[in-house]
Amino acid sequence: MSDTTVRTTTHPSPRATAPDPSGPAAMTPLGLFTVLLGAALPLIDFFIVNVALPAIDTDLAAGPAVLELVVGGYGVAYAVLLVLGGRLGDMAGRRRLFLIGMAAFGLTSLACGLAPTAWTLVGARVAQGAAAALMLPQVLATIQATTEGPRRARAMSLYGATAGLSMVAGQILGGVLVAADVAGSGWRSVFLVNVPIVLLGLVLAARAVPETRSERPASVDVSGTLLLALSLVSLLLPLTEGRATGWPLWTWVSLGVFPFASAAFYLTERRLDRLGRVPLVPPSLLRLDSLRRGLVMVVPFSIGFSGFMFVVAVALQQGLRMGPVAAGLALVPMALSFFAASLAGPRLVARFGTRVVTAGGVLQAVGLGLLLLAVLRDWPDLGIVGLAPGVAVAGLGQGLQLPVLMRLMLSDVPADRAGVGGGVMVTTQQSALALGVATLGSLFLALTPSMGMRDALAVTLLVQLGLVAVTALLSLRLPRAMR
């Protein structure tokens, strides 16, 4: 294991600072595989519980409100702490934080798998989300600091492919594990499976992941961290719990706090930036066109993606009476087409530029349209074969969008700000994923009693089509060429 440290320095240009290509700590293929493994785990675990929720409810008598927290508690903790995790990696060393975060993720996964009560599971899930927030920002920052040119473009494309595949694969894996009931573990296996993977990841990371840090790391912005946490919690928690708890007074008070907390966060960050200090989310970073435009696009994309995955898991199991394995296998065409599109993405971008994102939006809309027609035509006899064309085309479109957007967002972030830039990007994505489950999921579940599951699903798919249209239209404002 090498003790060599790659140090990045502040660069006056908005372009990323190039690493030393001759340094012994340059990213190797094994190192890239290891950090991508670390990127996959948190996203898999965000979605893996979707198909396990009925079994958790039966075993722990959780109830709707607590089940919402099993999903939402992880997502909120994850989103709230991501930027802080990126800052700590810049300060203390990204490999060190990656190792700490991965070890903590394994321990909290074990706690989830052994949870004796529903509320114990909620607490362990919140801790698991916090561990993921330490680990994931180091992935993007390490890629930014140890690669350049075509190697960076390829690594970022693989990161985007890993992110998208993880979200789909999580649901597939969850269904297989619940149905397999390994050693009588039932739903617990969806968490326990992380433990051996984490042990492998720790061994590989200690050997193959280079250490990087910012040359002049900034101290932790305590006020910014607290205000960002308040902003995200005041929005995501009531939206997650509101429907299940009957929208009590505290949910409306919390939503009322959100705009004031957000305004206070922005003003605080702007004041620190003007004073020459380094805020948690530097407003100057958001002046980068590539990052700002990418963030605006990733919000509707991620809301639609996570809402779709949650709603489909419920509709297939409760509406079409599929078992967890069948519900997972129904999404295999989406995973395969997403992977194929992700691999083709770099070549297509080199030839057609960012119009690949626009084409992806159109294909995703076509896939959702096919799925909507199948639901209206064949329900309740709709099966895996009937679902396949729609989910495959939708996955193809998603695979042409997400990896390209992620590469675009970080293309101009300086290497000494890689941790902060990655944290901002992933926080936005994760917040939108949590928001998608809370909003589209709540819409679907609220409409089902009065409209029936078929029509509720149809309405939800139409809303997602609207989000896809917004993403496609926004993509027309992207610069045609991309570095």
Side-chain angles (χ1 to χ4, degrees), residues 51-52 55 171-190 193 317 323-326 328-329:
V51 291
Q171 215 141 297
I172 298 171
L173 180 62
V176 171
L177 288 172
V178 171
D181 193 21
V182 180
S185 58
W187 61 267
R188 299 178 186 275
S189 60
V190 304
V193 71
Q317 292 187 92
V325 173
L329 291 177

Side-chain angles (χ1 to χ4, degrees), residues 61-426:
V66 178
L67 286 177
E68 294 275 7
L69 281 177
V70 170
V71 178
Y74 175 88
V76 171
Y78 185 21
V80 163
L81 296 172
L82 272 165
V83 177
L84 179 61
R87 174 64 59 83
L88 292 174
D90 286 349
M91 293 171 57
R94 293 157 187 152
R95 182 181 66 175
R96 179 180 300 174
L97 264 292
F98 183 81
L99 288 167
I100 292 172
M102 181 170 277
F105 191 85
L107 290 173
T108 52
S109 296
L110 181 62
C112 289
L114 300 178
T117 67
W119 281 106
T120 305
L121 177 59
V122 169
R125 282 284 282 173
V126 170
Q128 189 187 34
L134 287 180
M135 177 171 57
L136 188 61
Q138 320 315 327
V139 175
L140 287 166
T142 300
I143 289 173
Q144 287 289 95
T146 59
T147 60
E148 62 178 336
R151 292 181 65 241
R152 178 177 296 171
R154 180 175 176 273
M156 287 304 303
S157 295
L158 288 172
Y159 175 86
T162 299
L165 279 174
S166 299
M167 292 187 274
V168 180
Q171 215 141 297
I172 298 171
L173 180 62
V176 171
L177 288 172
V178 171
D181 193 21
V182 180
S185 58
W187 61 267
R188 299 178 186 275
S189 60
V190 304
F191 301 112
L192 296 176
V193 71
N194 291 332
V195 177
I197 296 174
V198 163
L199 291 175
L200 173 64
L202 289 172
V203 172
L204 294 178
R207 294 176 58 87
V209 175
E211 181 65 285
T212 67
R213 58 169 56 86
S214 177
E215 179 69 24
R216 292 184 289 182
S219 59
V220 173
D221 173 12
V222 176
S223 59
T225 300
L226 293 176
L227 286 170
L228 178 62
L230 178 61
S231 301
L232 292 176
V233 170
S234 63
L235 175 66
L236 296 176
L237 188 59
L239 289 179
T240 299
E241 284 293 287
R243 184 199 61 83
T245 57
W247 296 102
L249 179 61
W250 72 264
T251 59
W252 297 108
V253 171
S254 182
L255 288 172
V257 168
F258 169 69
F260 296 101
S262 300
F265 172 69
Y266 172 74
L267 293 173
T268 299
E269 300 298 273
R270 188 175 66 174
R271 180 177 62 85
L272 291 176
D273 213 14
R274 287 177 174 174
L275 291 174
R277 297 165 62 185
V278 183
L280 187 71
V281 180
S284 56
L285 198 63
L286 298 179
R287 286 197 289 269
L288 295 171
D289 279 345
S290 56
L291 179 61
R292 186 178 64 253
R293 292 183 181 183
L295 290 176
V296 170
M297 290 182 61
V298 85
V299 169
F301 178 90
S302 298
I303 289 174
F305 194 111
S306 63
F308 173 83
M309 297 297 288
F310 177 80
V311 167
V312 164
V314 175
L316 295 186
Q317 292 187 92
Q318 296 184 11
L320 297 178
R321 303 300 176 187
M322 290 185 181
V325 173
L329 291 177
L331 296 175
V332 168
M334 176 178 282
L336 294 176
S337 60
F338 189 105
F339 183 65
S342 299
L343 292 180
R347 293 192 298 274
L348 293 173
V349 168
R351 183 172 180 181
F352 301 107
T354 56
R355 290 299 175 263
V356 170
V357 178
T358 308
V362 173
L363 282 172
Q364 186 183 2
V366 170
L368 289 174
L370 291 173
L371 190 57
L372 178 61
L373 289 175
V375 168
L376 294 175
R377 183 185 65 234
D378 298 332
W379 193 279
D381 300 318
L382 184 60
I384 293 176
V385 174
L387 291 166
V391 296
V393 176
L396 189 66
Q398 290 165 341
L400 291 176
Q401 294 175 83
L402 185 60
V404 180
L405 282 177
M406 288 186 165
R407 175 182 162 189
L408 172 74
M409 281 186 278
L410 294 180
S411 60
D412 289 328
V413 175
D416 65 306
R417 286 181 160 188
V420 177
V424 170
M425 186 190 79
V426 181

